[in-house]
Amino acid sequence: MSLDITERARTGRGRWLALGAIVLSALVLGLDTTILVTALPTLSARLGATTDQLQWISAAYTLALAGFMIPAGVLADRLGRRRMLLAALAVFGASSVLASQMTTADGLISMRAVMGIAGAFIFPISLAVLPTIFSERERPRAIAIGGAGMFLGLPLGPLIAGWLLTHSDWGSIFLVNGPVVVLSLFGVWLFIPESRDSNAPRLDIVGAALAVAGVTGVVYGIIEQPALGWTDSTVLGSLLTGGILVAGFCLWELRTRSPLVDLRLFLDPRFSWSVLAGMVMGFALLGVLFVFTPFVQIVQGNDAQATGLRLLPLIGGIVVGALGSDRLLARLGVRVMLALGLLVCAAGLALLSMLEPDSGFGLMAVALPAIGVGNAFTTFTSLNVILGILPESQTGAGTALTRTIQQLAASLGVAILGSILNNGYRAELADQLTALPAMLRDVAEGSVAGATSVAGGLHAPLGTALLHAAQDAYTVGMAAVLRVSAGVMVAGAVLVGAFMPAGTKAATRKRSTREGAPAELAMNPSGVALAEETADARRHPA
């Protein structure tokens, strides 16, 4: 590692330019999470993709991202976080370009899997490098700004996809990653110093295999659930097998001499409650995003671009919450900030549950910023606590572990809240379907998009009645989802407020990477353990 890169990262301008590279890295992952939602009908027409293939275009990315995150974080700790981030960005960019040129659905699915594996490295490492360039005092603001990149990408996905699909070919939704990745690569190369665990033990192959297989099994079952149902043998088998493997991973990690990641971190109540707060936010919010977007687009009749524009207040709330979270954290403390964020978000969700099919934008303009602010308060505070507790030697592995848990919670949220939506929708629509033929009844009962399509093919009295009934039924189901999500957040806030230790600051980073590490290698001028950097400085004195 070059000494002048390290020194450049320590200067005020250098560290903030490094943060810019991290924001871009996270932004591209956020975009890829939601940008396909708008593009699936176009992909079906252009690539001749079946329903199953369309599902796997999304699922391949999600499975790879969740399954490989823990091994990716461990490899980054061992081989170098900057090095692995550069490699992952290069692979992500190249696979995005190749994805844009695919002529078959199967080819696109394979490229999406490669993008997911690359994303599994980018996701945890982009946050794990923050303590190497920011002091403990600066870290809350850096985490808020860096983490915002990922969350800003979620609502921006439909907006950007709508514009690109209107003005360009479908491949542009993947090509847009190219310039962002190139800028990220330059920023990481120039401004982020190398950091790794120079005394890493042997790689835990068994733990890595159990982690990949277990998490993949659980996520696969969750992905298949909406189409097959909770009682289907494939869903139950995947969830059971994945759960057993995850349990085996936990037992193995607690007994082996060289664990993939130290699970005893969860004995620290600040760490465990911060992870729980992030899980609650991920469970409720991502599920709501996927439920709310069809309401704006299908029920209220907005196109993809207009749908994205209506989500801009959510982005504004995230930005405001991110900018103010570090100051409030210093005044209120971790416990209050986590609970406050959950409660503010719950209030926004409760307001949103009052929407009707013909509601104007006023209620959204109040509810969405509240959801964004609450999300920022809880998410960025929990990230700050987690990174403050993780030892330097395990920032990659520990961050990957917590992000994997939150990814599982988010996937589970989409599945469970989707079931609540479907049950409410079908119950409300049941009476209106009795006059329809069996085939049309199944289509209309399957989704509000299907009901809208069926209604368009019927004569005025019946078609109009079905359309209004489907819109009302979806609104009722969405309101149930929003209220359940708000209730989960209130419960999370109560638990955090009751059981998390009080304090005004996030937990302090453990200073040594392992027992017996020389004291003079424990700290660099930014307050972070970087033994490799210190040794390099001794070899090349200024």
Side-chain angles (χ1 to χ4, degrees):
M1 180 188 63
S2 169
L3 181 61
D4 90 304
I5 290 177
T6 300
E7 293 302 327
R8 197 181 308 151
R10 290 175 185 161
T11 65
R13 183 182 179 188
R15 62 167 64 94
W16 296 110
L17 288 172
L19 183 60
I22 292 170
V23 169
L24 289 174
S25 301
L27 178 64
V28 77
L29 293 183
L31 287 172
D32 259 65
T33 302
T34 57
I35 201 168
L36 269 183
V37 174
T38 305
L40 288 177
T42 303
L43 294 177
S44 177
R46 299 293 177 85
L47 299 179
T50 65
T51 301
D52 286 343
Q53 287 174 323
L54 287 176
Q55 182 184 17
W56 276 104
I57 290 172
S58 297
Y61 178 82
T62 303
L63 278 174
L65 181 68
F68 284 88
M69 210 179 299
I70 293 176
V74 173
L75 286 174
D77 287 337
R78 292 172 61 89
L79 303 179
R81 300 179 188 100
R82 174 175 173 266
R83 182 180 296 117
M84 296 306 297
L85 184 55
L86 286 170
L89 284 168
V91 171
F92 191 92
S95 56
S96 295
V97 173
L98 289 173
S100 72
Q101 303 304 310
M102 290 294 109
T103 57
T104 65
D106 288 339
L108 182 56
I109 290 169
S110 65
M111 284 299 101
R112 288 287 289 170
V114 175
M115 291 169 67
I117 294 173
F121 283 84
I122 298 170
F123 200 11
I125 300 173
S126 60
L127 293 174
V129 298
L130 290 177
T132 68
I133 50 179
F134 288 96
S135 66
E136 186 178 338
R137 179 179 59 83
E138 293 175 319
R139 193 176 62 231
R141 173 166 291 188
I143 289 171
I145 297 172
M150 174 66 185
F151 293 95
L152 290 178
L154 295 175
L156 280 175
L159 175 62
I160 293 175
W163 190 88
L164 289 173
L165 292 173
T166 301
H167 297 89
S168 186
D169 190 57
W170 69 266
S172 60
I173 65 172
F174 298 111
L175 280 176
V176 72
N177 292 337
V180 181
V181 167
V182 170
L183 289 173
S184 261
L185 279 168
F186 276 112
V188 172
W189 176 265
L190 292 173
F191 300 109
I192 294 180
E194 186 60 279
S195 61
R196 64 184 178 90
D197 181 8
S198 56
N199 295 311
R202 63 181 178 83
L203 183 63
D204 179 13
I205 301 295
V206 174
L210 287 171
V212 172
V215 172
T216 302
V218 172
V219 174
Y220 177 79
I222 293 171
I223 288 172
E224 290 293 314
Q225 180 276 327
L228 302 178
W230 289 108
T231 58
D232 181 80
S233 59
T234 300
V235 173
L236 289 175
S238 297
L239 292 174
L240 182 61
T241 303
I244 291 172
L245 290 172
V246 169
F249 166 76
C250 295
L251 292 174
W252 175 264
E253 293 301 290
L254 291 171
R255 298 184 64 179
T256 186
R257 292 183 178 180
S258 303
L260 201 67
V261 60
D262 187 4
L263 297 182
R264 291 171 297 179
L265 289 165
F266 286 97
L267 296 176
D268 187 325
R270 288 176 179 269
F271 185 87
S272 56
W273 285 109
S274 294
V275 172
L276 177 68
M279 288 175 62
V280 169
M281 187 62 73
F283 173 90
L285 198 61
L286 196 58
V288 166
L289 189 63
F290 279 93
V291 167
F292 180 66
T293 302
F295 171 81
V296 176
Q297 191 166 358
I298 299 173
V299 174
Q300 293 200 324
N302 296 290
D303 61 22
Q305 194 167 345
T307 299
L309 289 172
R310 279 162 174 75
L311 291 173
L312 286 178
L314 178 63
I315 298 175
I318 293 173
V319 171
V320 170
L323 293 176
S325 62
D326 62 320
R327 295 184 180 90
L328 285 175
L329 177 59
R331 292 186 179 184
L332 302 177
V334 168
R335 181 172 65 177
V336 173
M337 279 295 289
L338 290 176
L340 178 64
L342 290 168
L343 291 174
V344 170
C345 197
L349 294 175
L351 281 174
L352 212 58
S353 71
M354 300 167 63
L355 285 172
E356 299 291 341
D358 57 353
S359 293
F361 187 63
L363 189 57
M364 295 184 206
V366 176
L368 290 176
I371 294 170
V373 169
N375 174 68
F377 283 178
T378 296
T379 301
F380 303 142
T381 299
S382 67
L383 285 174
N384 184 51
V385 175
I386 289 166
L387 287 175
I389 291 173
L390 288 172
E392 164 63 19
S393 61
Q394 292 190 31
T395 53
T399 304
L401 174 66
T402 59
R403 303 310 291 173
T404 299
I405 292 172
Q406 290 165 9
Q407 179 77 18
L408 286 173
S411 298
L412 197 60
V414 172
I416 292 176
L417 297 177
S419 293
I420 294 173
L421 172 69
N422 289 335
N423 290 337
Y425 170 76
R426 289 170 182 171
E428 286 291 318
L429 195 62
D431 292 340
Q432 190 65 38
L433 298 178
T434 55
L436 293 178
M439 184 179 296
L440 294 180
R441 188 187 310 133
D442 290 341
V443 173
E445 189 179 41
S447 68
V448 66
T452 302
S453 177
V454 170
L458 297 175
H459 293 297
L462 185 58
T464 303
L466 175 61
L467 179 63
H468 290 315
Q471 291 174 343
D472 289 339
Y474 188 91
T475 303
V476 169
M478 183 185 72
V481 167
L482 293 169
R483 291 180 187 126
V484 168
S485 299
V488 170
M489 289 192 174
V490 170
V494 170
L495 290 172
V496 168
F499 296 109
M500 187 170 193
T504 56
K505 294 183 179 180
T508 303
R509 171 176 296 276
K510 296 177 182 178
R511 297 302 183 186
S512 62
T513 58
R514 65 179 6 92
E515 186 177 354
E520 67 270 18
L521 300 187
M523 294 284 292
N524 72 357
S526 296
V528 181
L530 278 177
E532 182 189 65
E533 178 180 313
T534 306
D536 191 54
R538 286 176 176 171
R539 288 193 295 270
H540 304 281

